[in-house]
Amino acid sequence: MWSKSIAAIIGGCLVSISVMLNLNYLLPLTVDSRLFIGLLTAFPLWVTTMIYCYASKSGWQAWQRCGAILLVSVSLNSFFLLT
Amino acid sequence: MMNKEFFKRLTDAHSWLGLIISAVLFVVFFAGSISLFRAEITQWSMQPHFSVSQGDPLPLSEILASAIKGVPFDAKEHLSVRMPEEHMPYYRVYVDVEHQPDEEDHLAFFIDPVTGEKIAEIDRFYLSDFIYYLHRDLNLPYGKYVVGFVSLFFFFALISGIFIHARKLIGSFFKYRSKDNTRSKLLDMHNVVGVMSLPFTLMYAISGLIFNLVIIYQIAFAIVLYKGDQQALLDDAGYEEVIVEWLDEAWQQPKIDSLMQQTTEKYGSTPTFIRIYNYGDESAVIEFFGAGKNSLIDKYEIAYQVKDETVLFTKDLDNPNTLVIGLHAISTLHFGNYAGFDLRILYFLLGMGVCALIVTGNLLWIEKRSRQRHQSLKTLKFVRNFTLWGSGGVVVATAVAFVCERLLPAGLANRETFMLYSFIATLLLTAIILIFNDNKKHFLGHLLTLTAGLLVFVIVLDWAMFAKSISLLWQQGIYGVIGTQIGLAIMAIIFALSGHKLTDENVNKTEEEYDSTLDKATSTN
């Protein structure tokens, strides 16, 4: 339970930050609207990742799942930041 | 994906995490539900000690002049005023004072709007603020972040609860097996309260998270998107900071009252909060805050240069910032102050429902684990004691704080500290007695009965000490004190009935017999 919890808290937080940053680049809205939408979606994203982690059979699998999402999302972050 | 294993893992996480956060979550919801009536409780605390003057109110400028009289006011800082409102007939002023690094940086007073006289220090009547801070940050340093993470796990418990219960959501909605065994009753109560309060609890989980853990995203955004420029992020977020340089020239005929009038006319409502920077200097700036007619999203903030009445900045629906408006809407939803008193009653009932949800969730955990042979008895005992202490202990400690708030003289030095100690001492005493008590159900029942008795005692004290004053307030149309007493009386009845139910030998005997029959039947099968 503890290893899954660490993955859920840290991994979930990183996933939500990364996806939120992507949303900020992708949404065709004013900056204040993007910030507000980002804030509203961030915590549900975090909790969704937590569900995914706790539904894993072990802490290692929870980290693998988070890692897979993070890999895709951080790649997109890098693309947006560098272009 | 959603196989049996998925539900099992989620149920395990739901019950374990729910258990870990339960005591803090109970405190947050219990204190939060009471804090919905913060203004009424403040009025109940202080009003019987003081009379309400009749006559025309003084203009704002005179109230400000009166506020700084006789105190070491630091004019280069702020002078803030909260206007009188329905449950508070006095101005509340917050004066920044010259101080040493380890001293208090401000003084706060109630000021009579008719005479301009300082009535008392606000901090003397700390009960309602104490309960609110208990809700907000447990009255602890960094408690805000503790409450934030508890909100995160609460949000998780809600979503995982939906997954666990989804298949039976509609079919079992009206199911309550009142004649079945204890576990069935607890489970049905947990599910019914959980489903019915879901929109409310989701709103609280998300808004609580936004209030307490927003810093995480703020830092991430500032570093990645704004390349470390925190001010640029704050600008986009609609945060305006008033920065004024002290000119050391006395102001000439400042038109504070005219600016107040101008703002009231512009927005059609009197500002609720006013802050002045560099009071008395030619550089002074005055900022007005208020809410418009459509109060869920309509708020305004306007800053003027006092010397020439020029507008420095405006934040309102004509100059919208989605984040500012959105956060205001979330805050209004959270505090339930966008409609009348009846809405707050509904919020209170839902809040108390969530307290029941927390307690039943813990009892379910204990009940389930006590049937498992490999479960450690020490763990079970600890969880049982902790649940009782976190719920019953906090309830009775709050009632003791109400008694102290009423008994302590208004002029007593450090009055608020005595009230605070009474709360902590009651919590400690409950914990000690709890360890030596074997019948936990009876103990909880006795705690609730004691709470009911204390609340009735508070009402008796009110009338014994302030009968004349309370009657006079009623005649003047100030109903906050008697209104609070009615609330306390209703809570006393509910606690007394709950206490009686828990200590009633006949009810407990029937339930125990039923449970034992069921246990025997289960073990035979």
Side-chain angles (χ1 to χ4, degrees):
Chain A
M1 184 63 75
W2 291 110
S3 54
K4 280 192 211 177
S5 297
I6 293 167
I9 296 168
I10 299 173
C13 180
L14 293 175
V15 166
S16 71
I17 289 172
S18 175
V19 175
M20 214 173 106
L21 289 170
N22 285 327
L23 276 179
N24 209 274
Y25 282 113
L26 289 167
L27 291 174
L29 298 167
T30 54
V31 65
D32 49 334
S33 301
R34 290 201 308 265
L35 287 174
F36 183 57
I37 290 172
L39 200 57
L40 275 186
T41 51
F43 294 108
L45 271 169
W46 192 343
V47 167
T48 309
T49 317
M50 284 173 78
I51 296 274
Y52 201 36
C53 290
Y54 280 112
S56 309
K57 64 181 175 202
S58 63
W60 173 239
Q61 193 190 33
W63 272 114
Q64 279 179 319
R65 287 176 164 182
C66 276
I69 305 171
L70 266 177
L71 193 68
V72 177
S73 187
V74 171
S75 305
L76 265 176
N77 290 148
S78 314
F79 172 77
F80 288 127
L81 273 172
L82 297 172
T83 54
Chain B
M1 182 190 145
M2 288 192 198
N3 53 22
K4 208 174 165 187
E5 210 39 43
F6 172 84
F7 287 112
K8 189 183 169 303
R9 287 172 193 155
L10 225 49
T11 309
D12 270 354
H14 178 89
S15 51
W16 272 107
L17 292 179
L19 182 76
I20 291 166
I21 63 167
S22 60
V24 175
L25 196 64
F26 183 93
V27 173
V28 169
F29 267 93
F30 182 72
S33 302
I34 298 174
S35 294
L36 288 163
F37 304 100
R38 191 177 168 191
E40 285 84 351
I41 294 170
T42 306
Q43 187 170 33
W44 168 84
S45 295
M46 57 84 62
Q47 196 67 79
H49 292 278
F50 311 104
S51 59
V52 178
S53 307
Q54 303 291 314
D56 294 329
L58 294 169
L60 177 65
S61 55
E62 288 190 38
I63 296 295
L64 295 174
S66 168
I68 59 168
K69 204 179 283 174
V71 293
F73 172 51
D74 185 355
K76 291 176 186 173
E77 288 293 338
H78 318 129
L79 177 56
S80 309
V81 182
R82 196 164 282 285
M83 298 292 284
E85 51 196 39
E86 190 189 351
H87 292 289
M88 181 45 63
Y90 306 116
Y91 282 93
R92 279 161 288 175
V93 295
Y94 304 85
V95 186
D96 283 15
V97 291
E98 289 159 356
H99 63 284
Q100 297 300 317
D102 54 343
E103 289 176 348
E104 191 61 70
D105 62 353
H106 75 279
L107 293 170
F109 305 101
F110 292 113
I111 292 192
D112 189 311
V114 178
T115 62
E117 186 194 342
K118 285 190 192 116
I119 300 284
E121 281 184 43
I122 293 175
D123 293 343
R124 288 283 165 88
F125 302 93
Y126 187 57
L127 177 67
S128 62
D129 287 342
F130 168 70
I131 296 173
Y132 173 67
Y133 297 145
L134 207 58
H135 162 73
R136 192 188 63 181
D137 56 18
L138 309 171
N139 268 307
L140 294 174
Y142 304 107
K144 185 180 165 178
Y145 304 112
V146 175
V147 174
F149 278 99
V150 165
S151 305
L152 181 73
F153 288 121
F154 175 54
F155 193 12
F156 169 80
L158 291 175
I159 304 296
S160 55
I162 295 173
F163 274 105
I164 295 163
H165 193 57
R167 287 172 299 173
K168 295 179 270 177
L169 195 67
I170 308 292
S172 302
F173 189 74
F174 294 104
K175 188 170 165 186
Y176 184 67
R177 292 165 284 187
S178 64
K179 290 200 170 113
D180 277 355
N181 69 332
T182 312
R183 181 168 173 78
S184 305
K185 270 199 271 188
L186 285 174
L187 188 61
D188 289 346
M189 198 193 290
H190 189 74
N191 290 341
V192 169
V193 175
V195 172
M196 288 184 76
S197 62
L198 196 59
F200 172 80
T201 45
L202 282 175
M203 178 274 289
Y204 265 136
I206 294 178
S207 54
L209 277 165
I210 289 175
F211 294 153
N212 293 358
L213 291 186
V214 70
I215 186 83
I216 294 174
Y217 298 98
Q218 201 176 321
I219 292 170
F221 265 57
I223 293 172
V224 181
L225 285 183
Y226 290 84
K227 313 280 185 267
D229 188 354
Q230 175 95 348
Q231 192 52 49
L233 171 62
L234 293 175
D235 288 346
D236 281 346
Y239 177 77
E240 298 268 2
E241 195 182 7
V242 177
I243 301 168
V244 277
E245 200 177 325
W246 182 262
L247 295 175
D248 212 13
E249 289 171 30
W251 61 13
Q252 306 295 320
Q253 297 175 326
K255 292 174 180 149
I256 290 174
D257 299 319
S258 138
L259 287 170
M260 175 82 174
Q261 182 67 26
Q262 209 173 301
T263 308
T264 306
E265 280 167 14
K266 180 177 165 70
Y267 293 104
S269 71
T270 312
T272 51
F273 188 76
I274 299 134
R275 179 172 288 150
I276 303 193
Y277 302 81
N278 289 4
Y279 179 90
D281 191 63
E282 192 69 353
S283 62
V285 169
I286 187 164
E287 203 177 359
F288 295 98
F289 301 77
K293 287 167 196 155
N294 179 7
S295 62
L296 186 61
I297 58 162
D298 189 4
K299 73 160 199 168
Y300 63 83
E301 190 181 331
I302 186 164
Y304 301 93
Q305 188 83 51
V306 175
K307 68 173 177 187
D308 53 10
E309 301 183 37
T310 50
V311 175
L312 292 179
F313 66 80
T314 309
K315 279 195 272 176
D316 54 23
L317 288 181
D318 294 331
N319 307 274
N321 179 298
T322 311
L323 188 65
V324 173
I325 295 170
L327 288 178
H328 175 64
I330 287 171
S331 154
T332 314
L333 274 172
H334 187 94
F335 293 104
N337 51 8
Y338 55 95
F341 182 73
D342 42 358
L343 181 87
R344 284 190 288 147
I345 296 278
L346 184 65
Y347 264 52
F348 179 78
L349 293 176
L350 285 164
M352 286 294 156
V354 178
C355 291
L357 187 80
I358 296 162
V359 175
T360 51
N362 275 16
L363 294 178
L364 274 170
W365 187 96
I366 293 165
E367 217 275 341
K368 188 180 171 186
R369 292 298 187 280
S370 60
R371 285 168 192 252
Q372 294 171 352
R373 282 184 195 157
H374 63 274
Q375 188 62 50
S376 149
L377 284 174
K378 273 186 183 170
T379 311
L380 273 176
K381 198 175 174 186
F382 174 77
V383 171
R384 201 172 276 155
N385 284 342
F386 194 63
T387 302
L388 257 176
W389 183 66
S391 48
V394 170
V395 171
V396 78
T398 309
V400 169
F402 266 86
V403 173
C404 279
E405 181 71 26
R406 179 47 78 231
L407 272 178
L408 296 169
L412 182 72
N414 296 324
R415 185 180 189 273
E416 63 281 9
T417 317
F418 286 109
M419 189 276 298
L420 191 68
Y421 286 160
S422 75
F423 183 89
I424 296 167
T426 312
L427 269 185
L428 290 175
L429 193 65
T430 315
I432 293 165
I433 300 173
L434 190 57
I435 295 168
F436 299 104
N437 201 297
D438 289 330
N439 193 333
K440 306 298 177 189
K441 202 172 180 180
H442 272 217
F443 186 69
L444 180 61
H446 291 314
L447 281 182
L448 294 182
T449 310
L450 175 64
T451 306
L454 286 168
L455 295 182
V456 172
F457 183 52
V458 170
I459 300 169
V460 172
L461 279 176
D462 265 3
W463 286 96
M465 294 167 74
F466 300 107
K468 202 174 160 190
S469 171
I470 294 170
S471 305
L472 189 66
L473 287 169
W474 180 265
Q475 284 161 17
Q476 288 175 320
I478 295 170
Y479 306 123
V481 178
I482 290 185
T484 306
Q485 288 174 354
I486 293 170
L488 293 175
I490 293 170
M491 289 310 293
I493 293 168
I494 294 170
F495 285 134
L497 290 175
S498 312
H500 175 71
K501 170 99 178 147
L502 288 168
T503 47
D504 188 345
E505 294 294 342
N506 293 330
V507 174
N508 290 335
K509 206 175 166 186
T510 318
E511 281 183 2
E512 277 159 20
E513 279 169 5
Y514 191 96
D515 286 353
S516 120
T517 317
L518 192 87
D519 282 347
K520 277 179 195 161
T522 315
S523 59
T524 314
N525 292 336

